[in-house]
Amino acid sequence: MRKEMQLGFNLDAWKLSFSSLFTAYPHFGVDFVVHGSQHHHYESNSYLGAYALFGGLLLFILSRFKKVTLTLKNDVVKALLITGLLSLLISLGTTIAVPSLGITIENFINPFYWLNKVTEYVSHFRCLGRFNWAFFWAFNFLILYLFDQNLVRKSGKWLKYVVYGMLVLLVVDAKDAIRFNNHERYKNVLTEHDLEDVVSLTKGIDPNDYE
């Protein structure tokens, strides 16, 4: 059961830091062309990935030269994107601090801003930054969808090689993430060496003596 008072709602360390959307994690080898100058609390981070960012930038540039189209005709994709954008607004919190200017902005376009005026129960949502993961998946899927639609329209054989390049970035990010999780972030306590102490401590225990 949660306490009646809210704990952690709108806490800066648990809200999304907007610059983290395009700032690669320290263990990632590929940086976006624009990125923040510092890394934040892990609850505030939500890097969109090199594939999505470079892919989105490239699609935007190509669309300016009429090489690709950014038209969304699929209602499911539209609904997914709208949901992702609403989640992004929620993840920023009902107030947004701008330390460089020494000001705090009221986030009027955050649905929670108005819902919190109706009921305080909404303030029991903690770690608002986690809402942004809906936007993360929506944005990544959007870039995939746009590449696919333009390949179907046969925008040119050259686009196929562009997609191959974007997939390379996706593989590089995945490799960096897997390496970090397997070798740096977590210690594998199930290796034979680490299990030696556990075996020595439990060898005199008969499991049949316990339910």
Side-chain angles (χ1 to χ4, degrees):
M1 298 295 290
R2 292 212 176 213
K3 295 181 178 180
E4 290 187 5
M5 61 180 296
Q6 59 89 0
L7 296 170
F9 182 73
N10 254 346
L11 186 66
D12 285 340
W14 289 353
K15 292 190 294 187
L16 173 71
S17 171
F18 188 78
S19 64
S20 73
L21 293 173
F22 43 86
T23 303
Y25 301 118
H27 53 277
F28 274 29
V30 179
D31 287 321
F32 190 49
V33 290
V34 178
H35 53 81
S37 59
Q38 62 180 353
H39 295 283
H40 305 274
H41 188 274
Y42 66 90
E43 291 287 3
S44 300
N45 280 330
S46 187
Y47 180 51
L48 291 172
Y51 143 76
L53 290 170
F54 281 103
L57 177 61
L58 192 57
L59 284 168
F60 175 77
I61 294 173
L62 291 174
S63 70
R64 299 302 91 190
F65 292 95
K66 310 298 183 182
K67 297 296 185 180
V68 299
T69 177
L70 304 182
T71 305
L72 296 179
K73 295 183 178 180
N74 189 296
D75 290 338
V76 174
V77 175
K78 291 178 182 178
L80 183 64
L81 183 59
I82 291 173
T83 302
L85 288 172
L86 287 174
S87 298
L88 172 63
L89 293 174
I90 292 173
S91 68
L92 292 169
T94 59
T95 58
I96 303 174
V98 187
S100 59
L101 299 177
I103 62 174
T104 298
I105 302 172
E106 298 288 325
N107 188 6
F108 298 117
I109 54 178
N110 181 346
F112 278 13
Y113 180 89
W114 302 103
L115 190 58
N116 192 36
K117 294 183 179 298
V118 177
T119 172
E120 292 185 356
Y121 283 107
V122 72
S123 64
H124 282 269
F125 281 102
R126 301 182 302 165
C127 301
L128 293 179
R130 297 180 186 181
F131 277 91
N132 186 62
W133 288 108
F135 175 73
F136 168 88
W137 288 112
F139 186 79
N140 274 264
F141 185 77
L142 173 66
I143 301 304
L144 178 64
Y145 169 81
L146 290 173
F147 273 125
D148 177 70
Q149 290 302 295
N150 283 283
L151 284 172
V152 170
R153 296 188 184 100
K154 298 180 180 179
S155 297
K157 290 184 178 180
W158 57 270
L159 185 60
K160 178 173 65 175
Y161 298 104
V162 171
V163 173
Y164 290 157
M166 294 301 101
L167 290 176
V168 169
L169 291 177
L170 183 62
V171 171
V172 170
D173 275 357
K175 177 183 66 67
D176 290 339
I178 292 172
R179 181 181 60 197
F180 175 71
N181 286 328
N182 287 347
H183 303 293
E184 299 178 35
R185 184 175 182 181
Y186 302 112
K187 178 182 178 182
N188 186 353
V189 296
L190 299 179
T191 61
E192 184 176 349
H193 173 73
D194 288 316
L195 283 176
E196 289 179 357
D197 291 339
V198 177
V199 171
S200 64
L201 291 171
T202 59
K203 64 181 179 181
I205 300 176
D206 186 355
N208 294 321
D209 293 339
Y210 304 89
E211 293 184 0

